[in-house]
Amino acid sequence: MCEKHAHHSVMPDYSHWGHSFGHLSDENDANDARIYMDYNATTPMDPEVVEAVTVAMREAWGNPSSSYLPAVKARDIINQARESISRMVGGKPEDIIFTSGGTEANNLVLHTAVTHFCQSRVAAEREELNSTHHNDTAALPHLIISNVEHDSIRLPAQHLQQEGRAGRPHLQEGKAEVTCVAVSKATGRVEAEDVVAAIRPNTCLVSIMMANNETGVVMPIKEICQRVRAVNKQRPQPRILLHSDAAQAIGKIRVDARDMGVDYLTIVGHKFYGPRAGALYVNGPGVASPLHPMLFGGGQERNFRPGTENTAMIAGLGKAAELVNTHLSEYESHLWDIRGYLEERLLVRSSPPLCLGQIKSASTVVSLVRTAFQTHAMSPSWVPALWALACPAELWHSRRRRQERAPPERWAKHLTTGCGRCRGGPEGDRRCAGEDEPVVLLQEPVVLLQEPVALLQEPEDVSSDPVDQRPHSNEQSGCSFSLTK
């Protein structure tokens, strides 16, 4: 299905994967041309990744903790993967902790921050010969996140805020306080000054995603880390820990955890053509940066994440990282070409015209293009090709849209489109219904995702709980869930 392209020799040929999903088509529709179009949600494994997984399953089936040959092979594969992943994010092999995926990694960071704060507080009280428990809100750990975080950050934070109050409504406290810093309406970014303004004496963690999956905006993580570290130098222990979920950035732009200054970085394999496995970068786990396990068992991953290692998935994750290490500049150049071509063709061929929704003064990951269109202009002849496109009803019933109360007529006409590694361009245009159709799909799998404007609109206050009303620059929007004062 994918044609050869001389300028991007590293781009894989996925034609044998059947991107048209013919096996899901109506048996009577021999000409079905539906294309998978949700590449920000997940990517197919690169053929080299598939090969690495297959070899590991066939030859490295032994328990990595054992001493026989297949076990030694498994252990070597895991060590090599750890090396490749650490180079991909600018760390050391010992900084990489394998997890089941990004959700577990994110939960582990929040769990660590709260546990470390509580243990540090107890230790400080003992040193002061004061073991009396304080019930004031200052004794609770305080987390800072943004209002556009993935649910694997947002919901654990909300759970920590509410835990302990279930069934006991008279209690005003959970396990943690949470401040949700809104992105700027002007830039779409979480601005460093707003993060600093939200810091309290009991703040223990700042967690801001590196790139947003709906807007494509790359957050100023390095600047945020520099500002927070400056605050750390002026306050007693425990210091504020720094985390970034890099799921939507890795494989698209350069990611260097040490250069950014984060303590933790979430790595998600299936976002960069790897398997559904993940890892957590920790800057000196247990030494320079605390890491408290959520699970207890056989001691794997230095007791930080016990459980017999999934050698095959780790092998695939390592191979995906190796490909990023080798070809990132080519991938990035290819994505720029495809994105530019897609924007050009959408503007030329659309009727009524499309609006490309660039956010001012914001850098974005090169795989994303934001578009607006008139829903009635969708031709029935090419709508079936949008196989993975969420319909307006599905978007309206999503949790975030429901909570923010953005009326559907304000966002149902907006979509986010994105590009991946498959070949595309002028010779990759895919037929929709003829030369007169309003939109040209590329042969390159194009992502059509949810529209980002609702995230930047002012939501109605629909909660009876008090909301943390922090001052925000650039007339920023409010929080997506209720917060404690």
Side-chain angles (χ1 to χ4, degrees):
M1 174 177 172
C2 296
E3 300 178 10
K4 303 296 182 183
H5 194 298
H7 298 295
H8 298 287
S9 59
V10 301
M11 297 305 139
D13 181 2
Y14 293 109
S15 58
H16 61 288
W17 285 58
H19 271 206
S20 63
F21 291 88
H23 61 291
L24 298 176
S25 306
D26 189 315
E27 293 181 359
N28 298 322
D29 187 4
N31 296 319
D32 183 83
R34 291 185 295 181
I35 303 172
Y36 173 67
M37 308 178 78
D38 201 6
Y39 268 55
N40 270 28
T42 194
T43 60
M45 287 193 290
D46 188 282
E48 292 189 45
V49 173
V50 174
E51 178 63 20
V53 171
T54 303
V55 169
M57 294 178 71
R58 183 173 60 243
E59 301 178 5
W61 48 265
N63 190 319
S65 300
S66 301
S67 58
Y68 44 84
L69 186 59
V72 173
K73 178 78 170 178
R75 191 158 57 248
D76 290 343
I77 287 175
I78 291 171
N79 290 337
Q80 179 58 49
R82 205 184 304 273
E83 169 68 28
S84 296
I85 295 166
S86 67
R87 285 194 293 114
M88 180 179 67
V89 298
K92 300 177 181 178
E94 57 266 30
D95 295 334
I96 303 301
I97 306 296
F98 291 113
T99 67
S100 61
T103 294
E104 181 187 345
N106 285 343
N107 275 261
L108 182 56
V109 170
L110 269 66
H111 167 79
T112 290
V114 170
T115 302
H116 180 64
F117 178 88
C118 294
Q119 291 183 356
S120 299
R121 178 59 60 90
V122 169
E125 289 177 346
R126 286 175 178 171
E127 289 180 3
E128 297 172 3
L129 299 179
N130 180 9
S131 59
T132 303
H133 179 69
H134 298 281
N135 291 318
D136 61 299
T137 57
L140 291 176
H142 175 235
L143 313 174
I144 297 176
I145 65 174
S146 79
N147 71 328
V148 294
E149 295 299 314
H150 188 269
D151 279 353
S152 60
I153 287 290
R154 188 180 65 87
L155 294 181
Q158 183 175 350
H159 175 74
L160 287 168
Q161 185 188 34
Q162 296 175 347
E163 189 176 6
R165 288 189 284 178
R168 295 183 289 177
H170 61 283
L171 295 180
Q172 298 300 312
E173 301 174 0
K175 280 192 172 182
E177 296 176 333
V178 180
T179 295
C180 187
V181 176
V183 297
S184 164
K185 287 184 178 180
T187 66
R189 306 193 317 170
V190 178
E191 302 296 350
E193 57 264 30
D194 294 317
V195 173
V196 173
I199 291 176
R200 304 173 185 175
N202 56 326
T203 301
C204 65
L205 176 72
V206 171
S207 178
I208 306 294
M209 62 179 13
M210 186 171 178
N212 183 263
N213 57 299
E214 292 181 337
T215 64
V217 171
V218 178
M219 304 299 177
I221 301 300
K222 185 173 182 178
E223 180 185 358
I224 290 172
C225 289
Q226 290 173 340
R227 296 285 299 273
V228 173
R229 289 189 181 279
V231 173
N232 277 337
K233 293 179 180 179
Q234 304 172 10
R235 53 179 268 159
Q237 295 290 333
R239 66 184 173 89
I240 302 170
L241 303 171
L242 295 157
H243 168 247
S244 184
D245 181 348
Q248 295 293 339
I250 292 175
K252 301 171 185 175
I253 60 176
R254 177 177 172 268
V255 176
D256 190 324
R258 289 185 179 272
D259 179 64
M260 289 188 294
V262 295
D263 299 301
Y264 311 96
L265 189 83
T266 296
I267 301 163
V268 183
H270 71 99
K271 303 295 187 182
F272 58 99
Y273 296 81
R276 287 184 175 90
L280 179 65
Y281 161 86
V282 184
N283 181 21
V287 181
S289 303
L291 189 62
H292 295 278
M294 295 189 295
L295 306 174
F296 298 90
Q300 293 85 357
E301 294 300 290
R302 290 158 285 168
N303 280 314
F304 293 123
R305 202 286 185 184
T308 303
E309 298 90 342
N310 190 341
T311 305
M313 294 300 102
I314 291 174
L317 187 62
K319 174 56 72 171
E322 181 184 321
L323 292 173
V324 171
N325 292 334
T326 305
H327 301 300
L328 178 60
S329 61
E330 295 164 89
Y331 293 156
E332 194 169 4
S333 175
H334 175 76
L335 290 172
W336 275 114
D337 290 346
I338 293 298
R339 174 169 138 170
Y341 177 73
L342 175 59
E343 289 180 340
E344 174 191 348
R345 297 309 299 164
L346 288 173
L347 289 172
V348 169
R349 296 289 297 274
S350 62
S351 177
L354 295 176
C355 173
L356 297 179
Q358 299 289 347
I359 300 175
K360 295 179 180 179
S361 304
S363 59
T364 61
V365 291
V366 294
S367 65
L368 289 173
V369 181
R370 291 144 307 284
T371 63
F373 65 98
Q374 297 295 321
T375 53
H376 60 75
M378 280 186 162
S379 168
S381 59
W382 63 266
V383 165
L386 309 185
W387 183 71
L389 170 62
C391 69
E394 290 170 335
L395 300 187
W396 176 239
H397 288 296
S398 70
R399 180 183 295 108
R400 184 172 289 163
R401 295 305 189 277
R402 185 170 64 250
Q403 287 180 335
E404 295 197 357
R405 292 296 193 270
E409 63 272 12
R410 297 187 64 179
W411 54 261
K413 299 177 182 179
H414 296 77
L415 296 169
T416 298
T417 62
C419 307
R421 294 180 191 171
C422 260
R423 305 181 203 288
E427 72 285 352
D429 275 347
R430 183 173 183 84
R431 171 192 64 81
C432 290
E435 290 297 316
D436 296 330
E437 289 305 314
V439 173
V440 176
L441 295 181
L442 302 180
Q443 179 167 353
E444 152 61 26
V446 178
V447 189
L448 294 183
L449 292 177
Q450 300 169 1
E451 167 277 336
V453 172
L455 295 177
L456 306 181
Q457 294 172 346
E458 190 72 38
E460 297 177 13
D461 183 8
V462 298
S463 172
S464 59
D465 292 338
V467 176
D468 183 0
Q469 300 289 353
R470 288 281 170 183
H472 302 293
S473 63
N474 300 320
E475 298 181 1
Q476 296 170 322
S477 59
C479 302
S480 60
F481 59 86
S482 61
L483 307 173
T484 304
K485 282 186 178 179

